[in-house]
Amino acid sequence: EILESEKKLIDHLLDKVLVEKNSTKRYFCILAGAGMGKTTFAVNLVIAYINRYRKKTLPFEIKLVSLARREFANYLKVEKPNKTILILDALDENADASNDISSFMQKLENLIQDFRFVILTSRTQFFPTEEDEPKKTSILNLGKDKGNYIYHKMYISPFSEEDVQEFLRKKYKQLKKRKKAKKIVDRCSSLATRPLLLSHIDDLLNSNLTYDTLSSIYETLIDVWIKREVRFSKGGDNSELYEKLYEF
């Protein structure tokens, strides 16, 4: 709740990072908690990049690949990797990475070393401590800065109070519904800073519950959250896993 972003992440990347004059910083890791909008960020970065050069030739090609796909390596075969920006989404959803992150990163870096820029996204919780987060790559820098390339880490901030209010204004044009949504948000302001949970306000508005208590709001949001995690884990509904996660 107390964090505020220092700068707009996509604008910073387009203005300072993904440009031809940047030859030293090539590998980036975008970290954020679950439900903070990492995939949304990745998609919006692609759209913003293409829109910026709409009437001109793109300086680089841009490619978005989900590491959750088992066959993700097949999508990394491009004609000119040195002229391509590669965005690799959802490191935390890759089964091999979960089993052995060091071995997986070594294999991954062999595949991505020739790309002009690489942006990797992951849940912060995927790493036990900050020390375990990606730092140095195994890729040699043959330019003036000798040694191995490093991962430059950036974090997606939670929604500010202004972001939350803007979201509600855009989502609910009807004043009555917006007031009801705001009343719910005011009861669980710490949850509302997380975009995924805020997007599920509809689940609260559309139910017959009155939500007189904070616990009833949590109960509905947790139900939605667990169903999402079960789909990620099993690729569909799984009542046994749902019950285990709910008990946990």
Side-chain angles (χ1 to χ4, degrees), residues 17-36:
V17 176
L18 306 177
V19 292
E20 293 184 85
K21 63 182 179 182
N22 175 21
S23 59
T24 55
K25 297 180 179 180
R26 291 179 52 200
Y27 300 92
F28 300 85
C29 197
I30 307 295
L31 299 168
M36 286 292 295

Side-chain angles (χ1 to χ4, degrees), residues 33-99:
M36 286 292 295
K38 295 177 296 296
T39 298
T40 301
F41 154 79
V43 171
N44 283 334
L45 177 59
V46 173
I47 294 169
Y49 179 79
I50 292 170
N51 284 343
R52 173 164 289 203
Y53 300 99
R54 183 174 290 172
K55 295 181 180 179
K56 301 175 184 176
T57 304
L58 292 175
F60 307 103
E61 293 299 312
I62 189 164
K63 192 174 182 68
L64 170 58
V65 177
S66 173
L67 291 175
R69 290 174 175 264
R70 284 195 172 276
E71 69 285 7
F72 77 87
N74 295 336
Y75 297 92
L76 303 185
K77 297 168 184 174
V78 299
E79 211 171 295
K80 296 180 180 178
N82 63 325
K83 289 286 185 181
T84 304
I85 300 164
L86 177 63
I87 304 171
L88 295 173
D89 187 38
L91 171 66
D92 52 281
E93 292 175 32
N94 184 280
D96 294 331
S98 296
N99 292 331

Side-chain angles (χ1 to χ4, degrees), residues 13-216:
L13 289 170
L14 295 183
D15 293 338
K16 306 289 186 183
V17 176
L18 306 177
V19 292
E20 293 184 85
K21 63 182 179 182
N22 175 21
S23 59
T24 55
K25 297 180 179 180
R26 291 179 52 200
Y27 300 92
F28 300 85
C29 197
I30 307 295
L31 299 168
M36 286 292 295
K38 295 177 296 296
T39 298
T40 301
F41 154 79
V43 171
N44 283 334
L45 177 59
V46 173
I47 294 169
Y49 179 79
I50 292 170
N51 284 343
R52 173 164 289 203
Y53 300 99
R54 183 174 290 172
K55 295 181 180 179
K56 301 175 184 176
T57 304
L58 292 175
F60 307 103
E61 293 299 312
I62 189 164
K63 192 174 182 68
L64 170 58
V65 177
S66 173
L67 291 175
R69 290 174 175 264
R70 284 195 172 276
E71 69 285 7
F72 77 87
N74 295 336
Y75 297 92
L76 303 185
K77 297 168 184 174
V78 299
E79 211 171 295
K80 296 180 180 178
N82 63 325
K83 289 286 185 181
T84 304
I85 300 164
L86 177 63
I87 304 171
L88 295 173
D89 187 38
L91 171 66
D92 52 281
E93 292 175 32
N94 184 280
D96 294 331
S98 296
N99 292 331
D100 187 343
I101 184 63
S102 297
S103 175
F104 177 80
M105 291 303 292
Q106 181 71 51
K107 292 174 183 174
L108 180 65
E109 286 164 5
N110 286 336
L111 295 171
I112 66 175
Q113 60 183 331
D114 293 329
F115 284 87
R116 184 66 176 82
F117 298 108
V118 177
I119 298 173
L120 187 68
T121 79
S122 177
R123 289 186 187 188
T124 316
Q125 300 100 314
F126 183 63
F127 306 99
T129 69
E130 190 177 351
E131 287 300 308
D132 295 302
E133 293 172 1
K135 289 182 176 63
K136 187 181 288 188
T137 75
S138 59
I139 304 165
L140 283 173
N141 182 354
L142 302 177
K144 61 179 182 179
D145 299 325
K146 301 297 181 185
N148 291 56
Y149 283 104
I150 65 169
Y151 286 105
H152 299 273
K153 290 190 292 184
M154 299 178 185
Y155 297 86
I156 295 177
S157 296
F159 271 6
S160 65
E161 177 62 27
E162 290 76 18
D163 293 330
V164 172
Q165 296 308 319
E166 183 181 357
F167 177 92
L168 294 178
R169 281 196 303 273
K170 288 183 174 181
K171 186 171 179 63
Y172 302 109
K173 303 299 182 186
Q174 190 183 67
L175 186 59
K176 186 178 178 181
K177 203 167 188 180
R178 192 190 313 156
K179 282 184 176 180
K180 188 177 178 183
K182 188 177 185 307
K183 189 176 179 182
I184 292 172
V185 166
D186 288 343
R187 283 181 175 273
C188 57
S189 57
S190 60
L191 286 178
T193 60
R194 195 176 292 265
L196 176 72
L197 292 181
L198 187 59
S199 71
H200 282 295
I201 292 294
D202 275 346
D203 293 295
L204 302 173
L205 292 178
N206 294 335
S207 71
N208 293 321
L209 298 176
T210 56
Y211 297 107
D212 293 324
T213 64
L214 183 59
S215 61
S216 62

